[in-house]
Amino acid sequence: MTSQAAGSLALPLDTTQSDKLAAAVDGLTPAQLTWVSGYAAGLAAAGSPGDAVLIPAADSSPAAAPQDTLTILYGSQTGHGESVARGLKDAAAAKGFSVKLQSLADYKPSALKRERLVSFVISTHGEGDPPDDAELFHEFLLSAKASKLDGLRYAVFALGDSSYVNFCQTGREFDGRLEELGAERLLPIVECDIEFAAEAEAWSGDIVERLPDLMTAASSAPRLRAVETAAQYDRQRPFTATVLTNQKITGGRSGKDVRHIELSLADSGLSYEPGDSLAVLADNPPQLVADLLQHFGFAEDTPVDADDGQKSLRAALSEEFEITAPSLGFLKAWAARAESEELNRLLGPDRQSELAEFFATHQIIDIVRAYPAEVAADEFTGMLRRLAPRAYSIASSHAANPDEVHLTVAVVRYEAFGHSHEGAASTYLADRLGEGDTVQVFVEKNPRFRLPADDNAPVIMIGPGTGVAPFRAFVEERAERGAGGDNWLFFGERSMSEDFLYQLEWQRFLKQGILTRLDVAFSRDQAEKIYVQQRLRERGREVYEWIENGAVLYVCGDSKRMAPDVNAALEEILAEHGGLSAADAAAKLKELRRAGRYQKDVY
Amino acid sequence: MSKAPLSDVERIKSASRHLRGTLADSLVDPLTGAIAVDDTQLSKFHGIYQQDDRDLRSERKRARLEPAYSFMIRARVPAGVCTPEQWLNMDRVANLHANGTIRLTTRQAFQLHGVIKRNLKASIAGINEAMMDTIAACGDVNRNVMAPALPALSAVHRQVQADAERLSDHLTPATRAYHEIWLDGEKLDTAEQEPIYGDTYLPRKFKTAFVVPPQNDVDIYAQDLGFIAIVEGGQLVGYNLSVGGGMGMSHGEPETFPRLADVLGFLTPAQLLPVAEAVVTTQRDYGDRSNRKHARLKYTIEGRGIEWFRREVETRAGIKLGDERPFAFAGNGDVYGWQQDDSGRWHYLLFVENGRIVDSGDRRLMTGLREIASRHRGEFRLTPNQNLVVSSVDPADKAGVEELLREYGIENRSQASLLRLNAMACVALPTCALAMAESERYLPDLVTRLERLLAESGLADVPITIRMTGCPNGCARPYIAEIGLVGKGPGRYNLYLGAGHAGQRLGAMLLDNANEEEIVGALQPLFERFAAERRHDEHFGDYLIRGGLIREVRAGREFHAATAA
Ligand code: SRM
Ligand SMILES: Cc1cc2nc3c(=O)[nH]c(=O)nc-3n(C[C@H](O)[C@H](O)[C@H](O)COP(=O)(O)OP(=O)(O)OC[C@H]3O[C@@H](n4cnc5c(N)ncnc54)[C@H](O)[C@@H]3O)c2cc1C
Ligand SMILES: Cc1cc2nc3c(=O)[nH]c(=O)nc-3n(C[C@H](O)[C@H](O)[C@H](O)COP(=O)(O)O)c2cc1C
Ligand code: SF4
């Protein structure tokens, strides 16, 4: 077995090396083997074996004297910012500097005044809100409680998405407020769009370059660390998965088309945990590409610049560029090009909510149709962003489905402005992929949306619509583990008979006792609209008791209306049944959030 | 008594506290459109069947959705008589809560289909608003009591109708569960008594009909309990009692078979209730409660003998039955169009294909009947052949009714062939859970093909009864139609021929599991021979027996004997 393993590893090794390796690993346990592979990867990451021993301690290393240490604080929802922060840490550590990396969730805000050198990596979520892990820090920083930060030098790396109105809002707030509090800005804020890899590298380079002047090199005892060895797939190196199932799971009379998609992960080495998302690299709707070509009168074979050299316009519009959801950059460019008073007014100050509404209801083609302008093909593509991967909450437990990953996809198809419209990725998955076809994907880790480590802890899952997806993974996982904790699901949709996603599975889980309770709200099954938050209120006493008994709360799904409404309902429940004032209830809910007892995955 | 264990339905009934079960909880369970499994048995006693749209079954399963559950509600219409107000009310409930159609059944009752669970209570309450109910429309009790639809002699007819209603009341279960669950009636203590039925009701469904010869429209021979009116000198003198009829059987189980009722003797109107009760309680005490396929009265009588049964009934009723009085039947179909009764009132027997009241194209039955009902001052009669009588029309109103029938395109179409007028299909797909093949949705097409063949053979003027069911349960009484088609699988039917035109003789199987081509292929030469060799007024079924083309079935237990001639 062992020699076979070494043999299959042997490609880049000569026979002697391969024999030595086989002998060295003979008899090791799987855990030891994993460690060794990490060790080897660590050696590789450090450039040469000789340098490897200089890789300093991991996140948990005792804090060095502040002036000797670069503190990296990050707030990240889907892991992008965290990866940027780790990149900086690795770059600095590789040069032998002492680094401390911490999530803002674990960082005591009042400690900031003792810091000398901090790099912030922070994304923006919701509608210009901080990511969950930065919520409390953000609140503190912007409040009157924040003290002067005269001795601090800082840099901010902001992540965002320019198709949102409040682009990099949280980063900007950090940057402005730190300055206001007397801290010294080391580097101008970097505002990054969904393409952030190159900018992140440049930014860490800039910082690391300055470190020698900013602090003395660390000389703490080097410690080896294992790097993560699970097969790494990302946007640049996605995994090509085969579609196993593409099944509509709403009834024939439903107004919605929701798909259950199963993909094969066979031979990928890819792993995921309940709570993670899967990013999908999709092609744009062919009809939309054709409509754009036709609208502008572009020839489909017009060569245009793309990432990997030149491409035909048709290919570029299909694969390279974002042509459905508009970005702020596009809107600005188009407003200028079309010399549109109306668009420029929309882009003016104090029009945030109108602009948000505009983004939510307009695709790029709607804009170019409504505000016409003559452009050349490359000028048009120059205004476009690169096609972004779409995230889908993983709906399966890996343990229960070893070689598969499942998604629950609501297909975006609608009529507007006299034309039919499609969403790019959701229709790609639903309409353009059949069984046996392949799709490029990678896992987006979501460490802040996790089942409790304690299998006996109760959980309350609130997931209307496709928000139920991760809870299918949760429940499957708990069943697989034989977890004893109670599981309570709140689900909502329009109609029981047509839109009860995974109805048969929930019924089975209930019967088997794996799901302890299931409360449903079907908004259109009676005269008055009923949503999950109402069911929560109706069950307020029991919800409260569950929380008191240590239940972890999870919310997934719509961020615009559902999540705030559910939040309000939870505050009310804490107030009413805990005998708290509204303010205390809100504080208690915040505390639950900080303690990881109230987790959200909303979009 | 049988030593075999009781059937599961017996357990459910006996634990049900007089048919309550967990129905009330089932109705408010928000996670499913279904009711609890045990409750599906109990709901039948309340006139409610859980069904699902079978057209959608596999699609929904793949979609991880439960079946598209809905409920069929059967409303009792004793003797088939309802008022215009009741009609309008049924129409309202059908449009509000069901699938917008009304189904007239082969037992003169109403059915609504497609009522979803959360509308059930409102539907039942709605039906009750017009003093009509659904209790005992189904279940192991006496079902809707039938009576002839056409009042040839209205004085006699009125008496027979009154007797039918009297008996219907007498045999209605006493439980208050119905009122509690559906009408928010007060909860009574459940120590209430079921004086006739006892705590576990009957072993199986039980069916009663009254008939006034010569028309055997109710198919008296298919009934567990029958009363054949004996009219002498224009007066109703009493009834011949018939017992032990039934249609249902199962494919491949020869110990199950359709059976025609035996005529036991004569009784006077005053002896009606005691005798009926004696028949019911005998079946209650001796019917098979372990095997539901062997539980109908017909098997009790087959097993113990008709003489034993007569003695038991006479003892229980405390009377002696008289000798059977003579009577004769002409046919088991309906007589269409206008008829005037002896009081001068008019009755229009309206053709309703397969009993389905629905607007389709120019034929706007649902709307037209709503209009008629909103003006009509008489009553409606549901016929045992799934048709409808606009009944008791004042001579002054006749022209107005005719006008409306024309306006909505629903007068008996001149183009409806005699075959179609004598055709009947059960509901079957997509609602009936037991259907093996299409019936209501298919028979009209087959009839179109066959009526052409008949016309080509010059038989367009010969009434031939044709009935189809989607399974061997026989809801459209196919074994006593001259052409009987009984579903066996998708597109496949057993073909039975040779039954009596008045429902007085069972057919015999000619084809097993045949498709349309085979059926048409077998019938065509028989039609041709019949046309060539027919004696004056001879019926198709009689001809086939006379000609030795089909074996004559003399008794139900012979039904499965080697086929055809
Ligand atoms: C609506 C109707 C047929 C029609 O097209 O009009 C009908 C429809 C059904 N019958 Fe029937 N039967 C209907 C008259 C009959 C008749 C004819 C009669 O009573 O004169 C029979 C044959 C006579 C007899 O009882 O033997 C009949 C023998 C059955 C049987 C077989 C009984 C047996 O003893 O084997 C079943 C199945 C069962 O009871 O297990 C059955 C069961 C059913 C059910 C309820 C299916 C079920 O149990 O799930 C059907 C509902 C279908 C649907 O979607 O509506 N139905 N059924 C008739 C309603 C009558 C009423 O108003 O009460
Ligand atoms: C962490 C995370 C998890 C997610 N999980 C899931 C999941 O489990 N299931 C799921 O289905 N989705 C999920 N999503 C959403 C998903 O990523 C996509 O945003 C969604 O599928 C739409 O993508 P698309 O490419 O089809 O549409 P796009 O091509 O992005 O088109 C969307 C654009 O169409 C326009 N538009 C859309 N709807 C309308 C309308 N009704 N009226 C007018 N204009 C409209 C808007 O301009 C919008 O910008 C998740 C998102 C995140 C961030
Ligand atoms: C639900 C949701 C809401 C978002 N809202 C904003 C926003 O208002 N402004 C913005 O600039 N970016 C917004 N983004 C984009 C993220 O900031 C961007 O994807 C970033 O790369 C995420 O980094 P993280 O994984 O470190 O959180 C949003 C992303 C999601 C999924
Ligand atoms: S005969 Fe069979 S298929 Fe037809 S309604 Fe009756 S039970 Fe259903």
Side-chain angles (χ1 to χ4, degrees):
Chain A
M1 200 60 217
T2 309
S3 60
Q4 219 178 330
S8 64
L9 277 172
L11 257 180
L13 307 180
D14 64 32
T15 335
T16 327
Q17 287 172 318
S18 125
D19 286 351
K20 274 188 189 167
L21 178 59
V25 299
D26 190 24
L28 295 185
T29 65
Q32 288 168 325
L33 280 169
T34 306
W35 186 89
V36 169
S37 68
Y39 172 77
L43 296 182
S48 75
D51 295 347
V53 287
L54 292 179
I55 295 177
D59 315 0
S60 53
S61 64
Q67 54 271 49
D68 294 342
T69 303
L70 166 65
T71 301
I72 306 170
L73 299 176
Y74 65 89
S76 171
Q77 189 85 17
T78 51
H80 299 160
E82 183 176 348
S83 72
V84 172
R86 284 188 184 281
L88 172 59
K89 182 195 156 197
D90 290 349
K95 292 278 185 253
F97 296 106
S98 160
V99 203
K100 183 175 77 173
L101 175 72
Q102 233 171 6
S103 158
L104 283 168
D106 308 326
Y107 189 80
K108 209 161 167 266
S110 56
L112 196 58
K113 58 179 183 287
R114 292 194 300 272
E115 298 283 357
R116 292 290 164 265
L117 181 59
V118 181
S119 296
F120 291 93
V121 181
I122 180 84
S123 65
T124 300
H125 281 268
E127 289 172 82
D129 303 319
D132 291 344
D133 53 355
E135 196 180 319
L136 296 179
F137 182 88
H138 174 259
E139 193 178 279
F140 172 86
L141 187 67
L142 270 63
S143 75
K145 280 183 275 180
S147 44
K148 279 284 179 201
L149 297 172
D150 290 328
L152 176 68
R153 282 176 292 185
Y154 74 95
V156 174
F157 188 87
L159 293 96
D161 177 339
S162 66
S163 68
Y164 287 92
V165 173
N166 302 303
F167 178 53
C168 289
Q169 173 82 14
T170 308
R172 289 175 188 177
E173 285 168 358
F174 271 41
D175 190 55
R177 179 64 173 160
L178 288 164
E179 182 178 43
E180 217 172 270
L181 293 171
E184 180 193 336
R185 185 185 287 115
L186 264 181
L187 293 173
I189 180 174
V190 180
E191 293 180 0
C192 235
D193 207 341
I194 46 176
E195 291 297 308
F196 58 83
E199 280 163 286
E201 206 170 306
W203 183 70
S204 355
D206 281 356
I207 291 176
V208 173
E209 205 171 286
R210 279 158 207 248
L211 284 179
D213 300 337
L214 296 168
M215 61 188 216
T216 50
S219 56
S220 52
R223 264 174 53 198
L224 280 175
R225 86 197 145 90
V227 292
E228 246 180 84
T229 54
Q232 291 294 308
Y233 296 96
D234 57 21
R235 184 170 178 185
Q236 275 66 42
R237 287 151 300 179
F239 173 67
T240 303
T242 306
V243 178
L244 301 173
T245 303
N246 172 357
Q247 172 64 49
K248 183 171 185 274
I249 55 169
T250 41
R253 279 169 305 194
S254 173
K256 295 183 175 182
D257 181 353
V258 176
R259 299 299 174 102
H260 175 72
I261 308 274
E262 296 185 355
L263 305 176
S264 168
L265 297 180
D267 306 326
S268 67
L270 196 153
S271 73
Y272 62 85
E273 285 175 72
D276 287 343
S277 300
L278 193 74
V280 173
L281 298 170
D283 283 350
N284 282 310
Q287 186 58 48
L288 180 59
V289 173
D291 287 351
L292 279 171
L293 290 173
Q294 201 213 349
H295 174 81
F296 288 113
F298 294 150
E300 59 173 271
D301 50 6
T302 314
V304 291
D305 287 336
D307 244 24
D308 36 358
Q310 287 214 322
K311 268 195 177 164
S312 79
L313 181 57
R314 175 183 291 278
L317 291 179
S318 300
E319 307 154 6
E320 290 284 326
F321 295 111
E322 189 72 60
I323 59 170
T324 52
S327 67
L328 196 61
F330 173 81
L331 193 63
K332 282 183 174 150
W334 192 261
R337 192 69 186 71
E339 294 171 16
S340 160
E341 284 273 318
E342 204 179 323
L343 288 184
N344 279 316
R345 254 204 318 279
L346 193 62
L347 288 160
D350 301 332
R351 297 289 299 271
Q352 297 289 305
S353 64
E354 287 95 330
L355 191 57
E357 177 64 18
F358 185 87
F359 275 129
T361 51
H362 288 70
Q363 292 199 353
I364 284 174
I365 192 154
D366 301 322
I367 299 172
V368 302
R369 276 179 179 142
Y371 308 94
E374 294 266 322
V375 286
D378 53 358
E379 188 185 1
F380 176 62
T381 55
M383 297 177 182
L384 300 176
R385 291 198 304 167
R386 271 204 60 196
L387 183 51
R390 306 303 200 253
Y392 294 92
S393 310
I394 291 176
S396 51
S397 145
H398 205 185
N401 308 272
D403 271 337
E404 297 174 8
V405 61
H406 303 175
L407 308 178
T408 313
V409 179
V411 188
V412 175
R413 264 189 226 115
Y414 61 96
E415 290 291 324
F417 312 108
H419 295 273
S420 22
H421 291 66
E422 296 185 335
S426 57
T427 64
Y428 173 75
L429 289 167
D431 301 339
R432 302 196 285 287
L433 288 183
E435 282 170 25
D437 290 341
T438 58
V439 52
Q440 308 220 295
V441 301
F442 58 94
V443 171
E444 289 197 337
K445 290 272 159 204
N446 191 358
R448 268 159 311 281
F449 201 74
R450 288 285 185 257
L451 275 169
D454 177 3
D455 276 349
N456 290 317
V459 303
I460 297 180
M461 301 165 282
I462 303 158
T466 53
V468 82
F471 302 135
R472 182 173 179 269
F474 277 26
V475 174
E476 276 187 359
E477 177 84 8
R478 286 199 128 189
E480 190 67 22
R481 278 198 219 159
D486 286 341
N487 303 303
W488 186 353
L489 175 66
F490 285 85
F491 175 74
E493 250 299 347
R494 285 183 184 167
S495 113
M496 203 254 325
S497 76
E498 306 301 303
D499 306 310
F500 196 163
L501 306 180
Y502 301 110
Q503 181 183 28
L504 287 178
E505 298 187 4
W506 301 127
Q507 288 177 346
R508 198 184 63 232
F509 282 133
L510 270 172
K511 207 184 244 156
Q512 295 169 341
I514 291 160
L515 195 57
T516 320
R517 294 192 61 162
L518 172 55
D519 277 278
V520 288
F522 292 105
S523 59
R524 302 196 179 178
D525 278 355
Q526 59 282 308
E528 71 290 2
K529 294 263 162 80
I530 292 180
Y531 300 106
V532 280
Q533 56 267 27
Q534 186 163 332
R535 294 288 181 242
L536 276 168
R537 284 197 187 90
E538 286 165 12
R539 308 273 180 269
R541 162 139 304 281
E542 294 131 288
V543 169
Y544 182 79
E545 280 163 7
W546 278 55
I547 295 173
E548 290 297 288
N549 288 328
V552 184
L553 299 160
Y554 300 89
V555 181
C556 181
D558 171 58
S559 62
K560 295 199 177 50
R561 314 247 310 259
M562 185 276 291
D565 288 350
V566 164
N567 196 78
L570 291 171
E571 284 181 359
E572 273 174 42
I573 288 168
L574 291 177
E576 186 184 338
H577 300 284
L580 299 177
S581 70
D584 289 349
K588 172 152 185 192
L589 192 58
K590 279 230 172 68
E591 174 52 31
L592 286 172
R593 215 154 147 50
R594 209 200 45 73
R597 296 257 319 270
Y598 173 28
Q599 307 185 11
K600 292 196 234 182
D601 182 22
V602 296
Y603 46 87
Chain B
M1 287 284 238
S2 144
K3 287 194 197 68
L6 292 182
S7 75
D8 201 40
V9 180
E10 293 300 324
R11 170 191 61 81
I12 295 169
K13 285 189 282 190
S14 102
S16 74
R17 298 169 295 122
H18 293 132
L19 310 178
R20 287 167 178 84
T22 57
L23 270 168
D25 295 336
S26 276
L27 287 179
V28 295
D29 179 351
L31 303 179
T32 171
I35 56 179
V37 177
D38 283 4
D39 290 335
T40 62
Q41 292 299 331
L42 298 174
S43 72
K44 296 182 186 178
F45 291 78
H46 302 255
I48 295 162
Y49 279 83
Q50 179 171 306
Q51 306 185 316
D52 72 282
D53 188 332
R54 295 181 55 185
D55 290 348
L56 302 179
R57 231 184 235 181
S58 74
E59 174 191 321
R60 288 184 62 95
K61 191 174 196 149
R62 271 183 283 116
R64 292 154 206 259
L65 294 167
E66 69 179 13
Y69 289 114
S70 69
F71 294 82
M72 178 268 275
I73 300 178
R74 192 180 283 165
R76 238 163 23 119
V77 191
V81 183
C82 85
T83 64
E85 292 70 39
Q86 288 172 327
W87 182 277
L88 288 172
N89 191 55
M90 196 55 65
D91 176 277
R92 182 181 64 88
V93 177
N95 283 309
L96 204 59
H97 299 308
N99 66 0
T101 76
I102 299 175
R103 182 61 154 69
L104 311 182
T105 74
T106 56
R107 293 195 67 78
Q108 301 177 286
F110 286 117
Q111 278 188 189
L112 300 180
H113 288 102
V115 178
I116 54 175
K117 188 170 79 174
R118 64 168 186 277
N119 290 335
L120 254 186
K121 216 171 149 173
S123 304
I124 301 289
I127 289 168
N128 277 269
E129 267 170 40
M131 307 300 289
M132 191 180 279
D133 66 32
T134 65
I135 187 170
C138 334
D140 297 341
V141 287
N142 181 53
R143 305 288 187 90
N144 197 42
V145 176
M146 298 170 77
L150 261 192
L153 297 156
S154 59
V156 167
H157 191 275
R158 268 195 299 279
Q159 266 176 288
V160 170
Q161 183 187 320
D163 280 345
E165 287 168 355
R166 201 153 55 95
L167 181 57
S168 172
D169 284 350
H170 190 67
L171 296 179
T172 301
T175 175
R176 295 279 307 166
Y178 185 83
H179 293 83
E180 269 176 43
I181 296 171
W182 306 106
L183 307 175
D184 293 326
E186 218 180 300
K187 289 216 171 25
L188 294 184
D189 94 58
T190 52
E192 67 194 351
Q193 294 290 314
E194 281 288 6
I196 298 177
Y197 293 115
D199 289 346
T200 51
Y201 299 83
L202 297 182
R204 202 63 164 89
K205 55 172 65 163
F206 189 90
K207 298 177 170 181
T208 305
F210 288 73
V211 72
V212 182
Q215 207 58 24
N216 185 22
D217 55 353
V218 303
D219 265 328
I220 202 77
Y221 296 111
Q223 313 290 331
D224 294 274
L225 174 58
F227 297 97
I228 303 165
I230 302 300
V231 181
E232 289 171 5
Q235 300 294 313
L236 176 75
V237 295
Y239 299 98
N240 278 347
L241 171 69
S242 68
V243 293
M247 293 280 106
M249 62 156 205
S250 303
H251 287 310
E253 296 180 28
E255 64 283 8
T256 66
F257 47 84
R259 182 184 191 278
L260 298 189
D262 298 304
V263 177
L264 268 192
F266 178 80
L267 54 86
T268 64
Q271 296 169 327
L272 181 69
L273 294 188
V275 168
E277 194 174 319
V279 172
V280 169
T281 59
T282 303
Q283 163 66 357
R284 177 195 68 195
D285 298 341
Y286 290 97
D288 185 345
R289 287 185 187 260
S290 47
N291 176 7
R292 289 187 61 85
K293 288 192 170 181
H294 188 253
R296 293 291 293 273
L297 176 62
K298 62 183 176 183
Y299 300 116
T300 313
I301 291 176
E302 277 292 319
R304 294 178 182 264
I306 190 75
E307 285 314 316
W308 166 85
F309 188 76
R310 180 202 307 279
R311 279 196 306 278
E312 189 67 32
V313 169
E314 286 180 341
T315 312
R316 286 176 185 236
I319 58 137
K320 190 128 189 64
L321 291 169
D323 287 341
E324 168 187 344
R325 306 267 175 109
F327 64 95
F329 286 130
N332 61 358
D334 278 342
V335 180
Y336 288 93
W338 286 109
Q339 283 191 42
Q340 197 169 23
D341 66 27
D342 55 3
S343 71
R345 295 181 153 258
W346 287 95
H347 308 264
Y348 185 81
L349 200 150
L350 176 69
F351 171 60
V352 180
E353 189 156 38
N354 299 329
R356 187 66 72 176
I357 307 287
V358 61
D359 285 358
S360 74
D362 293 341
R363 200 170 154 81
R364 294 159 62 205
L365 255 180
M366 188 95 180
T367 313
L369 287 169
R370 188 184 311 131
E371 288 306 312
I372 291 174
S374 61
R375 284 169 231 193
H376 183 39
R377 295 183 294 162
E379 67 233 351
F380 290 99
R381 285 166 197 273
L382 282 56
T383 87
N385 287 293
Q386 306 170 320
N387 294 311
L388 185 68
V389 186
V390 185
S391 193
S392 301
V393 178
D394 198 275
D397 298 337
K398 185 169 175 257
V401 171
E402 277 172 345
E403 175 59 34
L404 288 171
L405 290 169
R406 252 194 313 279
E407 185 180 337
Y408 290 94
I410 56 179
E411 79 279 58
N412 299 334
R413 287 176 299 175
S414 46
Q415 73 270 21
S417 67
L418 262 186
L419 186 69
R420 196 176 299 275
L421 292 175
N422 283 294
M424 198 152 73
C426 74
V427 180
L429 295 170
T431 53
C432 179
L434 308 175
M436 301 171 180
E438 294 284 351
S439 184
E440 181 183 324
R441 296 195 293 196
Y442 168 55
L443 182 62
D445 295 339
L446 183 64
V447 165
T448 303
R449 235 181 128 177
L450 296 179
E451 67 194 8
R452 222 177 295 132
L453 289 186
L454 287 169
E456 282 162 18
S457 309
L459 293 169
D461 293 340
V462 181
I464 299 176
T465 53
I466 175 169
R467 295 174 178 178
M468 174 179 277
T469 57
C471 84
N473 284 326
C475 296
R477 303 183 288 266
Y479 309 109
I480 41 179
E482 291 172 284
I483 303 174
L485 290 154
V486 174
K488 202 159 184 189
R492 297 274 172 178
Y493 299 84
N494 287 358
L495 173 64
Y496 299 90
L497 297 176
H501 186 72
Q504 79 284 17
R505 180 179 60 242
L506 289 166
M509 184 166 77
L510 178 68
L511 296 179
D512 184 0
N513 208 25
N515 65 20
E516 179 171 317
E517 292 318 312
E518 291 161 346
I519 293 163
V520 172
L523 285 173
Q524 182 163 16
L526 293 175
F527 287 164
E528 283 164 8
R529 281 187 70 172
F530 176 48
E533 300 169 11
R534 183 180 185 219
R535 289 187 183 158
H536 180 64
D537 277 352
E538 190 173 34
H539 288 293
F540 184 50
D542 297 340
Y543 161 75
L544 293 174
I545 303 294
R546 175 177 64 83
L549 298 164
I550 293 289
R551 172 176 66 93
E552 180 177 1
V553 178
R554 291 195 187 77
R557 66 189 93 83
E558 291 175 10
F559 183 73
H560 298 292
T563 2

